[in-house]
Each structure stands twice: as C-alpha cells, then as structure tokens.
C-alpha cells in the first residue's frame, strides 16, 4: 500500500527501446499466434502445427498438428487439437523440420 | 475461435479423441465438459498401451488393450490432448 | 479400480456405499470394504450407467455454461 513514489515511470515501460528487447512472454505468444510453432510437453512429446489460439492457462488450440514421439518419429496427425495447458513445457516459434506425412 | 476451449465447445455431441496420461486413449461422444476439462463421454472406447521388454531378446513388446464403456466421467487433470473428429476442410 | 453404488460428492470427492470391488483378484485387501470415501483428486474415471443420463440435458447445460464470447471470471 505504499504511495506511488517517484518519477511516474509507467509500470509497463513502453519506452523500452528497439522493440525486441523489452517483450513480455505474452507478447511473444501473441507474435506466434497464427504461425507455425512447436509445443513440447512435459512428457517429451512434441507437437508441430499452426498455433490457432491460447488462453491464460496455456491451453492451446492448434491446427494441422503433427505429433512426434520421444524418438522424433511422427506418431499422429490431427486437423485440430486442444492441448491442456498444464502439460506444456515450452512453446517455440521456429518451424524447422516440416516433415511431410 | 477466441479461446482454446471453443474448439471443445464446438465438439459437443461429436465423437472426439482424447489422449490421457499413462498411455491411455479414449474415443467417445462428448456430452459435457467444464473448464477443468472434466468430461462426460458416451459410447467410449478406451485403449491402454503398455510396452514390456522381452528379457531374452531385448525387444519391446507393445500391447494394446481396449475396452468399451457406455458412459464415462473423465477427470480433467489426466487429459493431455483433445481432438475433434477429422473434418473435411 | 472401480466400485458400484455411490451417494455423495462435491470437490468430486465421492462417497461409495455398499461397495463391490469389481476386480477382487487384483485387490483382495478391499474385499471387506463396505463404505468408503474417495478423494476426488485421485479419481481417473467414473463409469456411469448410461440409462440414467439425459445426454441432451448435459449437452445443453454445457453449452450454456461455456457460452461463447463472454469472458467471465
């Protein structure tokens, strides 16, 4: 409950400098929306597909998703899929290895 | 589609594929769900996949057991992935 | 793994009365059990007799509860 002291620095510094340096995780996620992404789960399974949408729990909806097992082999494909957020280890934007079916 | 759960809302009364923890898969008709992803599925087929290592040959033996359940409540926290039936795009 | 005949819940904890163990060969220690209380968090599935379920009601209720485009909470 302390007084807002000082200089009036905005809590979210928009002044931050060349766009890319001060980005929040959620800025990153927004930038991946609609793009190819790799989602890795705690179990080690990876999903590659187009990130359709996300929510605050990191629940994910993906399109044209390919599932890769621990050995890197393609295990399954899904037109649409929902991934429950608690299983998500990381989300990465690169779309390397666009393996065919 | 605004949030991921919309994908599931659109699958009500459709057959869905549900991937669970512990190498369990379910296929069934989605009757109900909530924000935790607790679900009620009808005409469910559960597949449990187990792998054993053959001690002599060192080969992996993959076993799939399936069973059918008429109506099933599934607790959301075991669910990993939900996929609606394939639609023709 | 599974019993029959239950009576209460909330938190998805479940009280089972007049328990029958479906798989007694596997769980002989549970044969003597009459009534029990199961903590919700350890439940994987609950099998329901389908004839007691009004699926249309469930579907409608679910659609209503998860009504689109309204971000409550």
């Amino acid at each position: 409950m302390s007084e807002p002291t000082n200089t009036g620095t905005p809590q979210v510094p928009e002044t931050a400098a060349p766009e890319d340096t001060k980005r929040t995780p959620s800025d990153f996620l927004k930038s991946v929306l609609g793009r190819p992404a790799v989602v890795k789960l705690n179990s080690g399974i990876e999903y590659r597909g187009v990130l359709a949408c996300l929510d605050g729990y990191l629940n994910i909806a993906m399109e044209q998703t390919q599932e890769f097992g621990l050995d890197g082999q393609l295990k399954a494909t899904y037109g649409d899929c929902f991934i429950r957020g608690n299983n998500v280890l990381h989300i990465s934007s690169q779309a390397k290895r666009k393996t065919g079916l | 589609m605004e949030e991921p759960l919309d994908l599931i809302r659109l699958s009500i009364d459709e057959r869905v594929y549900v991937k669970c923890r512990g190498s369990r898969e379910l296929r069934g008709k989605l009757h109900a769900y909530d924000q935790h992803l607790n679900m009620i599925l009808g005409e469910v087929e559960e597949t449990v996949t187990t792998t054993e290592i053959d001690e002599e040959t060192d080969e992996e033996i993959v076993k799939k057991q399936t069973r059918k359940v008429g109506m099933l409540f599934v607790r959301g926290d075991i669910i990993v992935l939900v996929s609606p039936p394939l639609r023709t795009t | 793994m599974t019993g029959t005949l239950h009576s209460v819940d909330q938190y998805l904890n479940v009280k089972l009365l007049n328990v029958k163990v479906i798989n007694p060969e596997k769980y002989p220690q549970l044969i003597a059990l009459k009534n029990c209380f199961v903590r919700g968090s350890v439940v994987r599935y609950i099998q329901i007799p389908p004839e007691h379920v009004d699926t249309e009601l469930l579907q409608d209720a679910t659609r209503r509860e998860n009504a689109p485009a309204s971000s409550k909470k």
Side-chain angles (χ1 to χ4, degrees), chain A residues 3 21 38 61 68 85:
Chain A
E3 293 276 324
T21 52
V38 183
F68 293 90

Side-chain angles (χ1 to χ4, degrees), chain B residues 19-44:
Chain B
K19 192 181 174 72
C20 300
R21 293 166 174 245
S23 309
R24 287 164 193 272
E25 301 166 285
L26 303 170
R27 279 164 237 271
K29 194 179 196 186
L30 180 65
H31 289 306
Y33 72 95
D34 65 14
Q35 62 274 43
H36 306 291
L37 234 57
N38 296 323
M39 287 182 177
I40 294 180
L41 299 173
E43 298 150 58
V44 189

